[in-house]
Amino acid sequence: MHRPRTAAGATLGRELAAFVLERHPFVASAASVAFDASGGHAARDETAIESLRAAFARELRARLQPMFPDHAGETTPRVTARERFSTAIDEAIDACDGFLRRAAIRASLTPTERLEILRGMVLTRATDNRLKAFFTNGEVRYGDAAFQGKGFRSLGQEAIYAAGIRLRRGAEYESPDGWRGDVIAPVIRDLGAALAMRPTAETVRMALSAQMAKAGPPMNGKDLHIGGFAYGVLPASAPLAIGTLTIAGLALAFAREGSGRVAVSFIGEGGSSLGEWHEAINLCAARKLPAIFCVENNQTALSTPVRDQSAVRVFADKAVGYGIPGITIDGTDPDEIATAFAWALERARGGKGPALIELVCMRMCGHAHHDDMLYLGKDAPGAWDYPPLAEQGYVNRELYGYWSSRDPIPAYASRLERDNVLEPGALEGIKRDAEALVEEQAQRVISAPWPQADEAGAGVCADAPPRVRLDPLEGERNGVAELPAVETGPAFDRKGATFLEAVMLGVRDALRADPRVFVYGEDVGGPYGNAFLLLRPLLQEFGDRILNSPLAEGAVLGVCVGAALAGQRPIGEMQFNDFVATGFNQLVNNAAKIRYRWGGSVPMVVRMPWGGLRHAGPYHSQNTEPWFYRTPGLKIVVPSTPADARALMASAIADPDPVLYYEHIALYRDPRIRQRLDDSAPAPIPIGRAALRRAGDRLAIISYGAYVHTALRVAERLAADRIEAAVLDLRSLAPLDRASVIALAKHCSRVLIVHEDSRTGGIGESLAAIVQEEAFAWLDAPVRVIGALDTPVPYSPPLEERFLPREDEIERAARLLVAY
Ligand SMILES: Cc1ncc(C[n+]2csc(CCOP(=O)(O)OP(=O)(O)O)c2C)c(N)n1
């Protein structure tokens, strides 16, 4: 009974004309003539449209080329007018060819696919409606109060389901080693897209359960967003554009695998203003990665109208700035959406890089359940039909009126009836089935248990016991923990490896041992080998695995997150750790939280060239480690010797969690710390184990990084006066070797914490709090902390010298402490 919905020739011609007017208006009349000349009016089905493509391209080129306005000069330096004109012709022809390819794909949509889309849209709305009911009905109670759930609905945007129809999805891509299909990154209004990846009752239950904070995978009450990586849906995060960079990393990993997999990003028009989105699309475009970027322009971002968001005519115009194709389509037309995504998938799988698809539609409900009242002017229960407006709502009434007549569910059902794909009246039965399915899952969620409270402390890092609050004044207070053995490492050797060489060897060990390892950062690849030339010795052997990123720290970090999730082992690099500030979100809100939120593993290493002492000023000298010290989910290592630098790189690479690897720039070429290193790769040092660099019992000096060496020099001078100071090199800040810190504090009874970082809010103050709480009874003096002044790092040598803690100041503090 199916009659394929093919644009009959005349319709195809009209649609082509509209498309050309939208994208390349000055080519419109040439395209129209070319369409007639190539026999476009006879093209009625997929095969005919396919064979039209080459002829149409020829005819169009023949009509455009003579339009060249004779001009011998350059349009821009090194680009002749003819070259520019010919690029413009290629772009116009390519865009038209894309249109015809999409027309052919649209004609190929099968009745099964189209029925699935209708059912999927209905299931989406039924699930959304149930979420609203949860919000208002108070069926889920925690203690005496109703737990309402957050609730973001997609009323009016259910056609997004169609985006998934030709993705690699479903059970055939599940494997014991993880998901092998395409991956999508939905945001809050993409329930439909998520359901399309696995349209089952279980997916519905997971969506309801996550929102209602009940126990169970994947969120286990720790986050509320939809998703399941095991079936190709990257769970959404609240910071809106975070996932677009994860998608870029997945796309990079898929390109490296050569697996033909594609990563798909969704974002609202509001979220598309975020820098991370630009970084993602830009880097994917530059490397022609298999990604798709979809902007859902639903007219309002929370309450902000499009005109306050962007000056673009259509959001697809942004594609031009990235050198990729962009199209704007009706976001309530499922056939158009399925077609556009299938086309973009083909391009991406074929190595042609990303495309930008803008869906124009309208949010027909409030931003979230509570906002219906403000948006529409009165609360609206979940229903199959759009709610009526009341006077006071902030919604744009004119737009609401226009989009009210374009509800994708009844409109698509009517079209499928017209095309003999759906029995007349069958929509009602589909709705009832969806409601029944959703209701059954809702009841299961109501009766499901809450997560165990102890779970709150669990799952921050792969190998860590659950975090608990212990009272140090309770229980055994007199225990003396064992001191770690002195560990000086290989002796100084003036012909040995520098710290810089040791870091390079650590990276080389990793690249040699594991093909999944690659390096990604600014200026790391090509002929250069990083700003310090640290990687240069590796370029010949591993040039294809040391990849330049665009100049965008968020991109470096986000790509590492995505690639790590895809099973690779990225080593990202911040050119200087100071610039991590522009990628902060990716570390603290993305990499750090994924395991806790939904159990994903992010085994990435970020190299952080760091520190002052070199008169490099406020932006090439900072100590950013305390920014991350207090972020659960990140590990931080701070080697102070070449041997540790190499071994801790092995540890960082082997670790299943994100590790920030701080390498002090002042140590890079310091001739005083050279050590002879073995030819073979060293064994990893367990992360979280400090090294006692010097034994002593009168004073414990605790430090890390470059100041370990300062502390050792001070200890030498004290020893000349028979004051034996122990020096503990923390070596890793997160996790911290608390046991060694406490043991040494108890052993020496006097503690001096020395670091290069500014004093306030630094690691030292945190350590001092730990020591006084857990070793108070052993202390004979206040715990002292010496750090830099609380100012930005000044540039001029005398200023930096005053800013940093000097050796003589540290020595004086040590002597005062011993004399206390
Ligand atoms: C980085 C970030 N800033 C602010 C917010 C708060 N917020 C949540 S949704 C939203 C509006 C999003 O608009 P848009 O991206 O257009 O998507 P829509 O809600 O319209 O689907 C805002 C401001 C957020 N989640 N993330």
Side-chain angles (χ1 to χ4, degrees):
M1 71 181 199
H2 170 59
R3 177 166 54 83
R5 187 184 167 276
T6 311
T11 315
L12 183 64
R14 269 200 308 280
E15 288 177 354
L16 174 66
F19 170 76
V20 178
L21 274 166
E22 157 56 26
R23 283 282 98 196
H24 295 274
F26 297 117
V27 176
S29 60
S32 167
V33 179
F35 185 74
D36 290 343
S38 52
H41 289 284
R44 284 165 194 285
D45 59 18
E46 185 190 356
T47 320
I49 300 171
E50 268 304 300
S51 52
L52 172 66
R53 288 169 64 191
F56 174 80
R58 251 192 331 273
E59 293 291 342
L60 184 55
R61 188 177 295 281
R63 273 152 191 83
L64 294 178
Q65 258 161 353
M67 291 183 182
F68 180 65
D70 225 356
H71 191 289
E74 293 180 330
T75 52
T76 50
R78 302 189 65 239
V79 179
T80 65
R82 186 160 289 284
E83 279 166 348
R84 171 66 195 109
F85 193 71
S86 131
T87 314
I89 291 178
D90 289 346
E91 281 168 5
I93 291 174
D94 195 48
C96 291
D97 187 58
F99 169 86
L100 290 177
R101 178 62 197 136
R102 288 192 294 280
I105 293 172
R106 192 176 58 188
S108 77
L109 291 176
T110 65
T112 311
E113 288 174 323
R114 300 176 78 203
L115 274 175
E116 184 196 326
I117 293 170
L118 180 67
R119 288 207 174 88
M121 292 197 298
V122 169
L123 186 61
T124 305
R125 191 167 294 179
T127 308
D128 268 353
N129 286 345
R130 192 63 182 83
L131 283 170
K132 177 77 190 196
F134 268 133
F135 185 79
T136 38
N137 293 353
E139 298 150 289
V140 174
R141 303 192 73 76
Y142 183 64
D144 292 339
F147 183 85
Q148 295 182 293
K150 270 280 219 182
F152 302 101
R153 278 184 300 159
S154 48
L155 193 64
Q157 297 181 234
E158 296 85 352
I160 197 73
Y161 187 98
I165 204 75
R166 293 218 173 151
L167 290 173
R168 288 185 188 168
R169 61 193 178 125
E172 66 179 292
Y173 296 103
E174 284 168 17
S175 94
D177 302 332
W179 176 247
R180 290 273 159 261
D182 296 329
V183 175
I184 68 166
V187 277
I188 50 181
R189 254 164 270 291
D190 296 316
L191 174 64
L195 285 173
M197 290 303 281
R198 194 180 62 164
T200 64
E202 197 191 355
T203 314
V204 170
R205 193 179 67 252
M206 283 164 120
L208 297 176
S209 174
Q211 293 266 342
M212 300 315 293
K214 287 298 188 81
M219 297 301 176
N220 241 322
K222 288 179 172 167
D223 196 357
L224 51 103
H225 290 97
I226 47 173
F229 204 60
Y231 54 94
V233 183
L234 179 74
S237 312
L240 287 163
I242 254 186
T244 57
L245 276 170
T246 314
I247 281 296
L250 286 159
L252 184 78
F254 295 164
R256 292 193 72 231
E257 286 169 5
S259 56
R261 300 167 73 188
V262 176
V264 185
S265 151
F266 294 95
I267 197 95
E269 86 288 350
S272 79
S273 298
L274 283 155
E276 285 170 311
W277 185 76
H278 293 266
E279 293 185 14
I281 195 166
N282 180 54
L283 84 90
C284 287
R287 283 197 175 268
K288 288 202 183 321
L289 298 182
I292 300 174
F293 291 88
C294 174
V295 176
E296 294 159 272
N297 175 3
N298 65 1
Q299 315 300 331
T300 315
L302 214 161
S303 72
T304 302
V306 172
R307 66 170 180 278
D308 292 348
Q309 199 67 248
S310 172
V312 282
R313 185 184 58 88
V314 291
F315 282 84
D317 276 355
K318 298 201 177 203
V320 178
Y322 302 109
I324 62 170
I327 55 172
T328 302
I329 58 174
D330 180 353
T332 62
D333 184 333
D335 288 335
E336 286 289 308
I337 296 174
T339 297
F341 277 82
W343 161 78
L345 279 168
E346 272 181 10
R347 288 179 46 88
R349 291 203 214 289
K352 291 185 168 174
L356 174 58
I357 301 172
E358 176 189 4
L359 308 180
V360 189
C361 52
M362 182 150 187
R363 193 185 83 208
M364 303 304 281
C365 55
H367 161 69
H369 297 325
H370 67 270
D371 189 53
D372 281 342
M373 185 82 88
L374 298 166
Y375 187 66
L376 306 166
K378 65 174 186 184
D379 201 19
W384 287 106
D385 298 323
Y386 291 162
L389 290 187
E391 281 304 314
Q392 311 82 344
Y394 72 83
V395 68
N396 179 319
R397 306 181 77 80
E398 190 196 336
L399 284 175
Y400 194 84
Y402 173 85
W403 290 98
S404 289
S405 63
R406 300 173 81 99
D407 184 335
I409 293 179
Y412 198 52
S414 304
R415 187 189 291 170
L416 294 191
E417 286 180 14
R418 266 200 322 277
D419 291 350
N420 294 328
V421 172
L422 182 74
E423 295 288 352
L427 177 61
E428 283 313 306
I430 294 175
K431 286 180 180 173
R432 300 292 87 82
D433 289 350
E435 277 173 338
L437 180 152
V438 171
E439 190 51 36
E440 192 186 332
Q441 299 313 314
Q443 292 306 324
R444 291 176 67 168
V445 168
I446 292 170
S447 55
W450 292 105
Q452 295 288 322
D454 284 350
E455 281 293 308
V460 177
C461 292
D463 46 4
R467 296 177 178 196
V468 289
R469 236 183 329 268
L470 289 179
D471 194 322
L473 302 189
E474 262 173 9
E476 174 61 58
R477 257 184 274 162
N478 297 325
V480 178
E482 208 179 312
L483 272 184
V486 174
E487 183 185 337
T488 49
F492 165 74
D493 181 337
R494 73 188 168 81
K495 291 209 174 115
T498 61
F499 192 89
L500 179 122
E501 285 161 349
V503 177
M504 178 274 293
L505 290 173
V507 176
R508 191 188 70 179
D509 296 337
L511 285 164
R512 283 199 179 151
D514 187 345
R516 297 172 304 171
V517 174
F518 70 97
V519 176
Y520 191 62
E522 295 159 15
D523 305 298
V524 295
Y528 210 63
N530 120 329
F532 303 93
L533 310 187
L534 185 148
L535 299 166
R536 190 168 276 190
L538 307 181
L539 291 175
Q540 197 172 358
E541 190 176 349
F542 300 109
D544 58 339
R545 290 162 66 193
I546 300 180
L547 308 177
N548 276 338
S549 71
L551 203 167
E553 283 71 22
V556 174
L557 298 165
V559 160
C560 288
V561 175
L565 282 174
Q568 309 223 342
R569 292 289 181 277
I571 303 178
E573 179 187 302
M574 297 290 98
Q575 199 157 75
F576 288 84
N577 86 131
D578 312 61
F579 304 124
V580 75
T582 64
F584 198 65
N585 202 29
Q586 285 298 323
L587 285 180
V588 303
N589 277 328
N590 203 15
K593 292 189 171 68
I594 283 177
R595 182 178 299 285
Y596 188 75
R597 289 172 56 232
W598 55 269
S601 186
V602 186
M604 63 189 258
V605 179
V606 186
R607 292 186 35 239
M608 307 281 269
W610 141 81
L613 298 154
R614 298 164 304 110
H615 318 314
Y619 298 111
H620 294 81
S621 310
Q622 289 177 85
N623 283 233
T624 61
E625 67 280 6
W627 299 359
F628 306 108
Y629 170 71
R630 67 175 317 283
T631 301
L634 296 179
K635 294 180 177 170
I636 304 175
V637 296
V638 280
S640 70
T641 67
D644 276 8
R646 190 175 181 188
L648 280 171
M649 179 57 76
S651 326
I653 284 284
D655 202 276
D657 290 307
V659 180
L660 305 184
Y661 177 99
Y662 276 81
E663 44 191 77
H664 203 292
I665 301 170
L667 296 183
Y668 271 167
R669 295 183 170 89
D670 186 338
R672 299 169 296 179
I673 65 164
R674 284 172 175 262
Q675 287 172 319
R676 186 172 297 280
L677 303 180
D678 286 347
D679 288 341
S680 54
I685 300 168
I687 294 183
R689 207 175 74 194
L692 185 60
R693 296 299 183 195
R694 180 190 172 101
D697 56 8
R698 297 281 303 281
L699 174 68
I701 308 181
I702 303 177
S703 192
Y704 60 92
Y707 268 71
V708 168
H709 302 283
T710 315
L712 284 168
R713 286 194 293 274
V714 168
E716 283 291 318
R717 281 210 294 280
L718 296 175
D721 295 333
R722 295 173 191 262
I723 302 170
E724 291 301 335
V727 175
L728 188 70
D729 174 1
L730 290 173
R731 197 156 61 175
S732 138
L733 302 178
L736 190 68
D737 187 348
R738 282 171 91 107
S740 294
V741 169
I742 300 299
L744 196 65
K746 289 180 175 178
H747 182 72
C748 297
S749 301
R750 290 176 163 82
V751 178
L752 173 63
I753 302 159
V754 177
H755 58 52
E756 177 187 325
D757 183 27
S758 297
R759 157 74 193 251
T760 303
I763 312 289
E765 294 190 342
S766 170
L767 285 178
I770 294 170
V771 170
Q772 73 82 19
E773 260 187 356
E774 299 187 29
F776 183 76
W778 279 263
L779 295 180
D780 291 339
V783 179
R784 281 281 286 118
V785 180
I786 299 191
L789 300 179
D790 288 320
T791 68
V793 186
Y795 174 51
S796 180
L799 301 181
E800 190 186 22
E801 270 167 30
R802 176 59 58 84
F803 162 80
L804 290 170
R806 283 193 324 268
E807 217 165 294
D808 62 322
E809 285 176 288
I810 297 167
E811 183 180 340
R812 184 174 143 75
R815 290 182 186 278
L816 284 170
L817 203 47
V818 170
Y820 182 86

